[in-house]
Structure formats: structure tokens, C-alpha cells
């Protein structure tokens, strides 16, 4: 599930937040190539076994957050986009410019005052454990982290890997 978490020092009212949520959801889904939402159907109990991969977009807008960017408290924003696959240099650049444009239009935040980090998450099975390897990329930093998840935690979140 792609998740975009946005923080800004501009207070955001419900109407503007709703506009940002709609625009950002459509942009993230289109650019990454994942659906905005998924409708699920099920079989009657015990008649079949279904494995479902659920992909949809989640956007969070956090307004009025104290932020200092470049030593000033002028309008600024910070974002984190986490996705299970679908990210890369060209996609990240397109996402960055599109989200910056949305913030410029809706909140008058200059693109030079917006910073975003991208986390590309891959799940793999290894000895009955799921390994969550996260690749971190942004305009100014890169690295990697790894964390183990047990099967019950993974199924609770309905994250399934095709790999």
C-alpha cells in the first residue's frame, strides 16, 4: 500500500485537506501504477482458499506542524512516501514534482521549501519469517534498513508478496 505522509507548518482546514487528499491520491496511484482502492469478494466459509494482494493508496496530511526549513519558519513541507515496489529514480522525480505542485497550488508552498523521502519496501520469505527490506532514497540521502516480521503480523496487515 503506497502511503504518503505530508507535514506542513501551514494550518490546513478540512476543505483544503480534502482537496489535497483527492489530488495526491490520484497522483500517487497513477504515477506508481497502483489502484486508489480495491473491492474484494470472498467465498463462503471453508469452500475455497483465497490469497489476496491488497494495494491501495493512503495519504495523510498533517497541518500546523512546527517546521524550520533553511533556518526560517516560512511555509514549508516535508513528506515521506512508502511503497511496496513501484519506486525508482524516474518515478520518484515525477512524484516529487507532482506533490510539490499540489502543495504550491493548495497551500502556496514553494517547491524549494518541500523535501520528500522515498522508501521502497520489498517483502521476501526466508525460513518462515518475512524480511522487510527498506531502501531509503531522497534528494540528499540514501541507505538501507532491514527488519524481521513474523507471519502473524504480516497477515494481520494483509501484505502479500508475489515474489
Amino acid at each position: 500500500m503506497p502511503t504518503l505522509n505530508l507535514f506542513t507548518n501551514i494550518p490546513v482546514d478540512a476543505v483544503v485537506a480534502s482537496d489535497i487528499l483527492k489530488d495526491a491520491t490520484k497522483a500517487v496511484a497513477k504515477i506508481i501504477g497502483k489502484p486508489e482502492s480495491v473491492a474484494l469478494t470472498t467465498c463462503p466459509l471453508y469452500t475455497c482458499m483465497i490469497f489476496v494482494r491488497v494495494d491501495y493508496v493512503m495519504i495523510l496530511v498533517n497541518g500546523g506542524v512546527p517546521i524550520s526549513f533553511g533556518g526560517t519558519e516560512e511555509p514549508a513541507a516535508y513528506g515521506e512516501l512508502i511503497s511496496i515496489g513501484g519506486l525508482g529514480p524516474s518515478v520518484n522525480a515525477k512524484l516529487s514534482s507532482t506533490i510539490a505542485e499540489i502543495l504550491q497550488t493548495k497551500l502556496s508552498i514553494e517547491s524549494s521549501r518541500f523535501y520528500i523521502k522515498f522508501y521502497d519496501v520489498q517483502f521476501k520469505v526466508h525460513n518462515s519469517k518475512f524480511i522487510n527490506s527498506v531502501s531509503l532514497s531522497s534528494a540528499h540521502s540514501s541507505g538501507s534498513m532491514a527488519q524481521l516480521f513474523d507471519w502473524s503480523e504480516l497477515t494481520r496487515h494483509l501484505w502479500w508478496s508475489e515474489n
Side-chain angles (χ1 to χ4, degrees), residues 119-153:
Y119 298 88
D120 193 7
V121 180
Q122 302 294 323
F123 284 101
K124 297 185 180 181
V125 179
H126 179 69
N127 294 336
S128 301
K129 296 255 183 188
F130 278 82
I131 298 174
N132 170 19
S133 62
V134 180
S135 297
L136 166 67
S137 63
S138 67
H140 302 292
S141 64
S142 65
S144 64
M145 298 173 279
Q147 181 179 359
L148 293 177
F149 283 91
D150 66 25
W151 178 262
S152 62
E153 180 176 344

Side-chain angles (χ1 to χ4, degrees), residues 45-94:
L45 192 60
Y46 302 117
T47 60
C48 65
M49 181 179 286
I50 300 176
F51 291 95
V52 179
R53 181 182 173 114
V54 179
D55 291 313
Y56 48 92
V57 175
M58 179 185 289
I59 310 290
L60 296 89
V61 177
N62 305 279
V65 176
I67 296 177
S68 173
F69 190 114
T72 75
E73 294 180 34
E74 293 175 27
Y78 169 77
E80 293 180 337
L81 193 136
I82 302 139
S83 181
I84 301 173
L87 298 178
S90 63
V91 170
N92 295 2
K94 179 77 172 154

Side-chain angles (χ1 to χ4, degrees), residues 6 94-106 108-112 114-116:
L6 293 170
K94 179 77 172 154
L95 283 165
S96 181
S97 65
T98 302
I99 300 303
E101 184 179 316
I102 292 168
L103 295 174
Q104 168 69 42
T105 303
K106 304 296 182 189
S108 299
I109 297 172
E110 296 296 324
S111 62
S112 63
F114 171 59
Y115 182 84
I116 186 167

Side-chain angles (χ1 to χ4, degrees), residues 1 54 56 149 151-160:
M1 162 185 9
V54 179
Y56 48 92
F149 283 91
W151 178 262
S152 62
E153 180 176 344
L154 191 62
T155 56
R156 213 175 25 237
H157 292 290
L158 296 178
W159 290 350
W160 299 90

